[in-house]
Amino acid sequence: MVDSRAPEYQRLYATLKQLRVERHLTQTQLGERIGLTQRKVSLFESGDRRIDVIELIRYARGLGLDLTDVLDRAGIDHTRPD
């Protein structure tokens, strides 16, 4: 299992928070958009809970973005190897 404290995860969590703040959304407002509690949004953004791919897709959509946009912003390579 990958450690949720790994650098890639930490960049992802920081990016999720930054994107939410840039859109002037509270954790509660974002949570309401995507069907999560404020607490769960907080846990993801702090890195205290690992986000799964389905939740990450919903999170991105709630921010008005595609998953690839979020990954690019976090500097996470998501391309297929040759």
Coordinates of all heavy atoms in Angstrom, one line a residue:
M1 N 0.8 -1.2 0.0 CA 0.0 0.0 0.0 C 0.9 1.2 0.0 O 1.9 1.3 0.7 CB -0.9 0.0 1.2 CG -1.8 1.2 1.3 SD -2.8 1.3 2.8 CE -4.2 0.4 2.2
V2 N 0.5 2.3 -0.8 CA 1.2 3.5 -0.8 C 0.9 4.4 0.4 O -0.2 4.5 0.8 CB 0.8 4.3 -2.1 CG1 1.5 5.6 -2.2 CG2 1.2 3.4 -3.4
D3 N 1.9 4.9 0.9 CA 1.8 5.8 2.1 C 1.1 7.1 1.7 O 1.6 7.8 0.8 CB 3.2 6.0 2.7 CG 3.1 6.9 4.0 OD1 2.0 7.3 4.4 OD2 4.2 7.2 4.5
S4 N 0.1 7.5 2.4 CA -0.6 8.7 2.0 C 0.2 10.0 2.4 O -0.2 11.1 2.1 CB -2.0 8.8 2.7 OG -1.9 8.9 4.1
R5 N 1.3 9.7 3.1 CA 2.2 10.9 3.4 C 3.3 11.0 2.4 O 4.2 11.8 2.5 CB 2.8 10.7 4.8 CG 1.8 10.7 5.9 CD 1.4 12.1 6.2 NE 0.4 12.0 7.3 CZ -0.3 13.1 7.6 NH1 -0.2 14.2 6.9 NH2 -1.2 13.0 8.5
A6 N 3.3 10.2 1.3 CA 4.3 10.3 0.2 C 4.2 11.6 -0.4 O 3.2 12.3 -0.4 CB 4.1 9.2 -0.8
P7 N 5.3 12.1 -0.9 CA 5.3 13.5 -1.5 C 4.3 13.7 -2.6 O 3.7 14.8 -2.6 CB 6.7 13.6 -2.1 CG 7.6 12.6 -1.4 CD 6.6 11.5 -1.0
E8 N 4.0 12.7 -3.4 CA 3.0 12.9 -4.4 C 1.6 13.2 -3.8 O 0.8 14.0 -4.3 CB 2.9 11.7 -5.4 CG 4.2 11.5 -6.2 CD 5.2 10.7 -5.4 OE1 5.0 10.2 -4.2 OE2 6.3 10.5 -6.0
Y9 N 1.3 12.4 -2.8 CA 0.0 12.6 -2.1 C 0.0 14.0 -1.5 O -1.1 14.6 -1.5 CB -0.3 11.5 -1.1 CG -0.8 10.3 -1.7 CD1 0.0 9.1 -1.9 CD2 -2.2 10.2 -2.0 CE1 -0.6 8.0 -2.5 CE2 -2.7 9.0 -2.5 CZ -1.9 7.9 -2.8 OH -2.4 6.8 -3.3
Q10 N 1.0 14.4 -0.8 CA 1.1 15.7 -0.2 C 0.9 16.8 -1.1 O 0.1 17.8 -0.9 CB 2.4 15.8 0.6 CG 2.5 14.9 1.8 CD 1.3 15.0 2.8 OE1 1.0 16.1 3.3 NE2 0.6 13.9 3.0
R11 N 1.5 16.7 -2.3 CA 1.2 17.7 -3.4 C -0.2 17.7 -3.8 O -0.8 18.7 -4.1 CB 2.2 17.5 -4.6 CG 3.6 17.9 -4.3 CD 4.4 18.0 -5.6 NE 4.2 17.0 -6.6 CZ 4.8 15.9 -6.7 NH1 5.8 15.6 -5.9 NH2 4.6 15.0 -7.7
L12 N -0.8 16.5 -4.0 CA -2.2 16.4 -4.4 C -3.1 17.0 -3.4 O -4.0 17.8 -3.8 CB -2.5 14.9 -4.6 CG -4.0 14.6 -5.0 CD1 -4.4 15.3 -6.3 CD2 -4.2 13.1 -5.0
Y13 N -2.9 16.7 -2.1 CA -3.8 17.3 -1.1 C -3.7 18.8 -1.0 O -4.7 19.5 -0.9 CB -3.5 16.6 0.3 CG -3.6 15.2 0.3 CD1 -2.8 14.4 1.0 CD2 -4.7 14.5 -0.4 CE1 -2.9 13.0 1.1 CE2 -4.8 13.1 -0.3 CZ -3.9 12.4 0.4 OH -4.1 11.0 0.4
A14 N -2.4 19.3 -1.1 CA -2.2 20.8 -1.1 C -2.9 21.4 -2.3 O -3.5 22.5 -2.2 CB -0.8 21.1 -1.0
T15 N -2.8 20.7 -3.4 CA -3.4 21.3 -4.7 C -4.9 21.3 -4.6 O -5.6 22.3 -5.0 CB -3.0 20.4 -5.9 OG1 -1.6 20.5 -6.0 CG2 -3.6 20.9 -7.2
L16 N -5.5 20.2 -4.0 CA -7.0 20.2 -3.8 C -7.4 21.4 -3.0 O -8.4 22.1 -3.3 CB -7.4 18.9 -3.2 CG -7.2 17.6 -4.0 CD1 -7.6 16.4 -3.2 CD2 -8.0 17.7 -5.3
K17 N -6.7 21.6 -1.9 CA -7.1 22.8 -1.0 C -6.9 24.1 -1.8 O -7.8 25.0 -1.7 CB -6.2 22.8 0.2 CG -6.6 23.9 1.1 CD -5.8 23.9 2.4 CE -6.2 25.1 3.3 NZ -5.5 25.0 4.6
Q18 N -5.8 24.2 -2.5 CA -5.5 25.5 -3.2 C -6.6 25.7 -4.3 O -7.1 26.9 -4.4 CB -4.2 25.4 -3.8 CG -3.8 26.6 -4.6 CD -2.4 26.5 -5.2 OE1 -1.8 25.5 -5.2 NE2 -1.9 27.6 -5.7
L19 N -7.0 24.7 -5.0 CA -8.0 24.9 -6.0 C -9.4 25.3 -5.4 O -10.1 26.1 -6.0 CB -8.1 23.6 -6.8 CG -7.0 23.3 -7.7 CD1 -7.1 21.8 -8.2 CD2 -6.9 24.2 -8.9
R20 N -9.7 24.7 -4.3 CA -10.9 25.0 -3.6 C -10.9 26.5 -3.2 O -11.9 27.2 -3.4 CB -11.2 24.1 -2.4 CG -12.4 24.5 -1.6 CD -12.6 23.6 -0.4 NE -11.5 23.7 0.6 CZ -11.2 24.7 1.4 NH1 -12.0 25.8 1.4 NH2 -10.2 24.6 2.2
V21 N -9.8 26.9 -2.6 CA -9.7 28.3 -2.1 C -9.8 29.3 -3.2 O -10.4 30.3 -3.1 CB -8.4 28.4 -1.2 CG1 -8.1 29.9 -0.9 CG2 -8.5 27.6 0.1
E22 N -9.1 28.9 -4.3 CA -9.1 29.8 -5.5 C -10.5 30.0 -6.0 O -10.8 31.0 -6.6 CB -8.2 29.2 -6.6 CG -6.8 29.3 -6.4 CD -5.9 28.6 -7.4 OE1 -6.5 28.1 -8.4 OE2 -4.7 28.6 -7.3
R23 N -11.4 29.0 -5.8 CA -12.8 29.1 -6.3 C -13.7 29.7 -5.2 O -14.9 29.7 -5.4 CB -13.2 27.7 -6.7 CG -12.7 27.4 -8.1 CD -12.5 25.9 -8.4 NE -12.0 25.7 -9.7 CZ -10.7 25.9 -10.1 NH1 -9.8 26.3 -9.2 NH2 -10.3 25.7 -11.3
H24 N -13.1 30.2 -4.1 CA -13.8 30.8 -3.0 C -14.9 29.9 -2.5 O -16.0 30.3 -2.2 CB -14.4 32.1 -3.5 CG -13.4 33.1 -4.1 ND1 -12.5 33.7 -3.3 CD2 -13.2 33.4 -5.4 CE1 -11.7 34.4 -4.1 NE2 -12.1 34.3 -5.4
L25 N -14.6 28.6 -2.3 CA -15.5 27.6 -1.7 C -15.0 27.3 -0.4 O -13.8 27.1 -0.2 CB -15.6 26.4 -2.6 CG -16.2 26.5 -4.0 CD1 -15.9 25.2 -4.8 CD2 -17.6 26.8 -3.9
T26 N -15.9 27.1 0.6 CA -15.6 26.5 1.8 C -15.6 25.0 1.7 O -16.1 24.5 0.7 CB -16.6 26.9 2.9 OG1 -17.9 26.3 2.6 CG2 -16.8 28.4 3.1
Q27 N -15.0 24.3 2.7 CA -15.1 22.9 2.7 C -16.5 22.4 2.7 O -16.8 21.4 2.0 CB -14.3 22.3 3.9 CG -12.8 22.5 3.8 CD -12.1 22.1 5.0 OE1 -12.6 21.9 6.1 NE2 -10.8 21.8 4.8
T28 N -17.4 23.1 3.4 CA -18.8 22.7 3.5 C -19.4 22.8 2.1 O -20.2 21.9 1.6 CB -19.5 23.5 4.5 OG1 -18.9 23.3 5.8 CG2 -21.0 23.2 4.6
Q29 N -19.2 24.0 1.4 CA -19.8 24.2 0.1 C -19.3 23.1 -0.9 O -20.1 22.6 -1.7 CB -19.4 25.6 -0.4 CG -20.1 26.7 0.4 CD -19.6 28.1 0.0 OE1 -18.3 28.2 -0.2 NE2 -20.4 29.1 0.1
L30 N -18.0 22.9 -0.9 CA -17.5 21.8 -1.8 C -18.2 20.5 -1.5 O -18.6 19.7 -2.4 CB -16.0 21.7 -1.8 CG -15.4 20.7 -2.7 CD1 -15.8 20.9 -4.2 CD2 -13.9 20.6 -2.6
G31 N -18.2 20.2 -0.2 CA -18.8 18.9 0.2 C -20.2 18.7 -0.2 O -20.6 17.7 -0.7
E32 N -21.0 19.8 -0.1 CA -22.4 19.7 -0.6 C -22.5 19.5 -2.1 O -23.3 18.8 -2.6 CB -23.1 21.1 -0.2 CG -23.4 21.2 1.3 CD -23.9 22.5 1.7 OE1 -24.0 23.5 0.8 OE2 -24.2 22.7 2.9
R33 N -21.5 20.1 -2.8 CA -21.5 19.9 -4.3 C -21.2 18.4 -4.7 O -21.7 17.9 -5.7 CB -20.4 20.7 -5.0 CG -20.7 22.1 -5.1 CD -19.6 22.8 -5.9 NE -19.9 24.2 -6.1 CZ -19.2 25.0 -6.9 NH1 -18.2 24.5 -7.6 NH2 -19.5 26.2 -7.1
I34 N -20.4 17.7 -3.9 CA -20.0 16.4 -4.3 C -20.4 15.3 -3.4 O -20.0 14.1 -3.5 CB -18.4 16.4 -4.4 CG1 -17.7 16.7 -3.1 CG2 -18.0 17.3 -5.5 CD1 -16.2 16.6 -3.2
G35 N -21.3 15.6 -2.4 CA -21.9 14.6 -1.6 C -21.0 14.1 -0.5 O -21.1 12.9 -0.1
L36 N -20.1 15.0 0.0 CA -19.2 14.6 1.1 C -19.4 15.6 2.3 O -19.9 16.7 2.1 CB -17.7 14.7 0.7 CG -17.3 13.7 -0.4 CD1 -15.8 14.1 -0.7 CD2 -17.4 12.3 0.1
T37 N -19.1 15.1 3.5 CA -19.2 16.0 4.6 C -18.0 17.0 4.6 O -17.0 16.7 4.0 CB -19.2 15.2 6.0 OG1 -18.0 14.5 6.1 CG2 -20.4 14.2 6.0
Q38 N -18.2 18.0 5.4 CA -17.1 19.0 5.5 C -15.9 18.3 6.2 O -14.7 18.5 5.8 CB -17.5 20.2 6.4 CG -16.4 21.2 6.7 CD -15.6 20.8 7.9 OE1 -16.1 20.2 8.9 NE2 -14.3 21.1 7.9
R39 N -16.2 17.4 7.1 CA -15.1 16.6 7.8 C -14.3 15.8 6.8 O -13.0 15.8 6.9 CB -15.7 15.7 8.9 CG -14.8 14.8 9.6 CD -14.1 15.6 10.7 NE -13.3 14.6 11.4 CZ -12.0 14.8 11.7 NH1 -11.4 15.9 11.3 NH2 -11.3 13.9 12.3
K40 N -15.0 15.1 5.9 CA -14.2 14.3 4.9 C -13.4 15.2 4.0 O -12.2 14.8 3.7 CB -15.2 13.4 4.1 CG -14.5 12.2 3.5 CD -15.6 11.2 3.1 CE -14.9 9.9 2.8 NZ -15.9 8.9 2.3
V41 N -13.9 16.3 3.6 CA -13.1 17.2 2.7 C -11.9 17.6 3.5 O -10.8 17.7 3.0 CB -14.0 18.4 2.3 CG1 -13.1 19.5 1.6 CG2 -15.1 18.0 1.4
S42 N -12.1 18.0 4.8 CA -11.0 18.4 5.6 C -9.9 17.3 5.8 O -8.7 17.6 5.7 CB -11.5 18.8 7.0 OG -10.4 19.1 7.9
L43 N -10.4 16.1 6.0 CA -9.4 15.0 6.1 C -8.6 14.7 4.8 O -7.4 14.4 4.9 CB -10.2 13.7 6.5 CG -10.8 13.6 7.9 CD1 -11.7 12.4 8.0 CD2 -9.7 13.6 8.9
F44 N -9.2 14.9 3.7 CA -8.5 14.8 2.4 C -7.5 15.9 2.3 O -6.3 15.6 2.0 CB -9.4 14.8 1.2 CG -10.3 13.6 1.1 CD1 -11.6 13.8 0.5 CD2 -9.9 12.4 1.4 CE1 -12.4 12.7 0.4 CE2 -10.7 11.2 1.2 CZ -12.0 11.4 0.7
E45 N -7.9 17.1 2.5 CA -7.0 18.3 2.3 C -5.8 18.2 3.3 O -4.7 18.7 2.9 CB -7.8 19.6 2.4 CG -8.7 19.8 1.3 CD -9.4 21.1 1.3 OE1 -9.3 21.9 2.3 OE2 -10.2 21.4 0.4
S46 N -6.0 17.7 4.5 CA -4.9 17.6 5.4 C -4.0 16.4 5.2 O -3.0 16.3 5.9 CB -5.5 17.6 6.9 OG -6.2 16.4 7.1
G47 N -4.5 15.5 4.4 CA -3.7 14.3 4.2 C -3.9 13.2 5.3 O -3.3 12.2 5.4
D48 N -4.9 13.5 6.2 CA -5.2 12.5 7.2 C -6.1 11.3 6.8 O -6.2 10.4 7.5 CB -5.9 13.2 8.4 CG -5.0 14.1 9.2 OD1 -3.8 13.9 9.2 OD2 -5.5 15.1 9.7
R49 N -6.6 11.4 5.6 CA -7.3 10.3 4.9 C -6.9 10.3 3.5 O -6.9 11.3 2.8 CB -8.8 10.5 5.1 CG -9.5 9.4 4.4 CD -11.0 9.5 4.6 NE -11.7 8.5 3.8 CZ -12.6 7.7 4.2 NH1 -13.0 7.8 5.4 NH2 -13.1 6.8 3.4
R50 N -6.6 9.1 3.0 CA -6.2 8.9 1.6 C -7.5 9.0 0.7 O -8.5 8.3 1.0 CB -5.5 7.6 1.4 CG -4.8 7.5 0.1 CD -3.9 6.3 0.1 NE -4.1 5.6 -1.1 CZ -3.7 4.4 -1.3 NH1 -3.1 3.7 -0.4 NH2 -3.9 3.8 -2.5
I51 N -7.4 9.7 -0.3 CA -8.5 9.9 -1.3 C -8.5 8.8 -2.3 O -7.4 8.5 -2.8 CB -8.5 11.3 -1.9 CG1 -9.9 11.6 -2.6 CG2 -7.3 11.5 -2.8 CD1 -10.0 13.0 -3.0
D52 N -9.6 8.1 -2.6 CA -9.6 7.1 -3.6 C -9.9 7.8 -5.0 O -10.3 8.9 -5.0 CB -10.5 5.9 -3.3 CG -12.0 6.2 -3.4 OD1 -12.4 7.1 -4.2 OD2 -12.8 5.6 -2.6
V53 N -9.8 7.0 -6.0 CA -9.9 7.6 -7.4 C -11.3 8.1 -7.7 O -11.5 9.1 -8.3 CB -9.4 6.6 -8.5 CG1 -10.3 5.4 -8.6 CG2 -9.2 7.3 -9.8
I54 N -12.3 7.4 -7.2 CA -13.7 7.8 -7.4 C -13.9 9.2 -6.7 O -14.5 10.1 -7.3 CB -14.7 6.8 -7.0 CG1 -14.5 5.5 -7.7 CG2 -16.1 7.3 -7.1 CD1 -14.6 5.5 -9.2
E55 N -13.5 9.3 -5.5 CA -13.6 10.5 -4.7 C -12.8 11.6 -5.4 O -13.3 12.8 -5.4 CB -13.2 10.3 -3.3 CG -14.2 9.4 -2.5 CD -13.6 8.9 -1.2 OE1 -12.3 8.7 -1.1 OE2 -14.3 8.7 -0.3
L56 N -11.7 11.3 -5.9 CA -10.9 12.3 -6.5 C -11.5 12.9 -7.8 O -11.5 14.1 -8.1 CB -9.5 11.8 -6.9 CG -8.5 12.7 -7.5 CD1 -8.3 14.0 -6.6 CD2 -7.1 12.0 -7.7
I57 N -12.1 12.0 -8.6 CA -12.9 12.4 -9.8 C -14.0 13.3 -9.4 O -14.2 14.4 -10.0 CB -13.4 11.2 -10.6 CG1 -12.2 10.4 -11.2 CG2 -14.4 11.6 -11.6 CD1 -12.5 9.1 -11.7
R58 N -14.8 12.9 -8.3 CA -15.9 13.8 -7.9 C -15.4 15.1 -7.4 O -16.0 16.1 -7.6 CB -16.7 13.0 -6.8 CG -17.5 11.9 -7.3 CD -18.1 11.0 -6.3 NE -18.8 11.7 -5.2 CZ -19.1 11.2 -4.0 NH1 -18.7 10.0 -3.7 NH2 -19.7 11.9 -3.1
Y59 N -14.3 15.1 -6.7 CA -13.7 16.3 -6.1 C -13.3 17.2 -7.3 O -13.7 18.4 -7.3 CB -12.4 15.9 -5.3 CG -12.0 16.8 -4.2 CD1 -12.2 16.4 -2.9 CD2 -11.5 18.1 -4.5 CE1 -11.8 17.3 -1.9 CE2 -11.1 18.9 -3.4 CZ -11.3 18.5 -2.1 OH -10.9 19.3 -1.1
A60 N -12.7 16.7 -8.3 CA -12.3 17.5 -9.5 C -13.5 18.1 -10.1 O -13.5 19.3 -10.5 CB -11.5 16.7 -10.5
R61 N -14.5 17.3 -10.4 CA -15.7 17.8 -11.0 C -16.4 18.9 -10.2 O -16.9 19.9 -10.7 CB -16.7 16.7 -11.2 CG -16.2 15.8 -12.4 CD -17.2 14.6 -12.6 NE -16.7 13.8 -13.7 CZ -17.1 12.5 -13.8 NH1 -18.1 12.0 -13.1 NH2 -16.6 11.8 -14.8
G62 N -16.4 18.7 -8.8 CA -16.9 19.7 -7.9 C -16.2 21.1 -8.0 O -16.8 22.1 -7.8
L63 N -15.0 21.0 -8.4 CA -14.2 22.2 -8.6 C -14.3 22.7 -10.1 O -13.7 23.7 -10.4 CB -12.7 21.9 -8.3 CG -12.4 21.6 -6.9 CD1 -11.0 21.0 -6.7 CD2 -12.6 22.8 -6.0
G64 N -15.0 22.0 -10.9 CA -15.2 22.4 -12.3 C -14.0 22.0 -13.2 O -13.8 22.7 -14.2
L65 N -13.3 21.0 -12.8 CA -12.1 20.6 -13.5 C -12.2 19.1 -13.9 O -13.0 18.3 -13.3 CB -10.9 20.8 -12.6 CG -10.6 22.2 -12.2 CD1 -9.5 22.2 -11.1 CD2 -10.1 23.0 -13.4
D66 N -11.4 18.7 -14.8 CA -11.2 17.3 -15.1 C -10.1 16.7 -14.2 O -9.3 17.5 -13.7 CB -10.7 17.1 -16.6 CG -11.8 17.4 -17.6 OD1 -13.0 17.1 -17.3 OD2 -11.4 17.9 -18.7
L67 N -10.1 15.4 -14.0 CA -9.1 14.8 -13.2 C -7.7 15.1 -13.7 O -6.8 15.4 -12.9 CB -9.3 13.3 -13.1 CG -8.3 12.5 -12.3 CD1 -8.2 13.0 -10.9 CD2 -8.6 11.0 -12.4
T68 N -7.5 15.1 -15.0 CA -6.2 15.4 -15.5 C -5.7 16.8 -15.2 O -4.5 17.1 -15.0 CB -6.1 15.2 -17.1 OG1 -7.1 16.0 -17.7 CG2 -6.3 13.7 -17.4
D69 N -6.6 17.8 -15.1 CA -6.3 19.1 -14.8 C -5.7 19.2 -13.3 O -4.7 19.9 -13.1 CB -7.5 20.1 -14.8 CG -8.1 20.2 -16.2 OD1 -7.3 20.2 -17.2 OD2 -9.3 20.3 -16.4
V70 N -6.4 18.5 -12.4 CA -5.9 18.4 -11.0 C -4.6 17.8 -10.9 O -3.7 18.3 -10.3 CB -7.0 17.7 -10.2 CG1 -6.4 17.5 -8.7 CG2 -8.3 18.4 -10.1
L71 N -4.4 16.6 -11.6 CA -3.1 15.9 -11.6 C -2.0 16.8 -12.2 O -0.9 16.8 -11.6 CB -3.2 14.6 -12.3 CG -4.2 13.6 -11.7 CD1 -4.3 12.3 -12.5 CD2 -3.8 13.3 -10.2
D72 N -2.3 17.5 -13.3 CA -1.3 18.4 -13.9 C -0.9 19.5 -12.9 O 0.3 19.8 -12.7 CB -1.8 19.0 -15.2 CG -1.9 18.0 -16.3 OD1 -1.2 16.9 -16.3 OD2 -2.6 18.3 -17.3
R73 N -1.9 20.1 -12.3 CA -1.7 21.1 -11.3 C -0.8 20.7 -10.2 O 0.0 21.4 -9.6 CB -3.0 21.6 -10.9 CG -3.3 22.9 -10.4 CD -2.8 24.2 -11.1 NE -2.8 25.2 -10.1 CZ -3.8 26.0 -9.7 NH1 -4.9 25.9 -10.4 NH2 -3.7 26.8 -8.8
A74 N -1.0 19.4 -9.8 CA -0.2 18.9 -8.6 C 1.2 18.3 -9.1 O 1.9 17.9 -8.2 CB -1.0 17.7 -8.0
G75 N 1.4 18.4 -10.4 CA 2.7 17.9 -10.9 C 2.8 16.4 -10.8 O 3.9 15.9 -10.6
I76 N 1.7 15.7 -11.0 CA 1.7 14.2 -10.9 C 1.6 13.7 -12.3 O 0.6 14.0 -13.1 CB 0.6 13.7 -10.0 CG1 0.8 14.2 -8.6 CG2 0.5 12.2 -10.1 CD1 -0.4 13.9 -7.7
D77 N 2.6 12.9 -12.7 CA 2.6 12.3 -14.1 C 1.5 11.2 -14.2 O 1.5 10.3 -13.4 CB 4.0 11.7 -14.4 CG 4.1 11.2 -15.8 OD1 3.2 11.5 -16.6 OD2 5.0 10.4 -16.0
H78 N 0.6 11.4 -15.1 CA -0.5 10.5 -15.3 C -0.5 9.9 -16.7 O -1.5 9.2 -17.1 CB -1.8 11.1 -15.0 CG -2.0 12.4 -15.8 ND1 -2.5 12.4 -17.0 CD2 -1.8 13.7 -15.5 CE1 -2.6 13.6 -17.5 NE2 -2.1 14.4 -16.6
T79 N 0.6 10.1 -17.4 CA 0.7 9.6 -18.8 C 1.1 8.1 -18.8 O 1.7 7.6 -17.8 CB 1.7 10.3 -19.6 OG1 3.0 10.3 -19.0 CG2 1.2 11.8 -19.7
R80 N 0.7 7.4 -19.8 CA 1.0 6.0 -19.9 C 2.5 5.9 -20.3 O 2.9 6.6 -21.2 CB 0.2 5.3 -20.9 CG -1.3 5.2 -20.5 CD -2.1 4.6 -21.6 NE -1.7 3.3 -22.1 CZ -2.3 2.7 -23.0 NH1 -3.3 3.2 -23.6 NH2 -1.8 1.5 -23.4
P81 N 3.2 4.9 -19.7 CA 4.6 4.7 -20.2 C 4.6 4.1 -21.6 O 3.7 3.4 -22.0 CB 5.1 3.7 -19.2 CG 3.9 3.0 -18.6 CD 2.8 4.0 -18.7
D82 N 5.6 4.4 -22.3 CA 5.7 3.9 -23.7 C 6.1 2.5 -23.7 O 6.7 1.9 -22.9 CB 6.8 4.7 -24.5 CG 6.3 6.1 -24.7 OD1 5.1 6.4 -24.8 OD2 7.2 7.0 -24.8

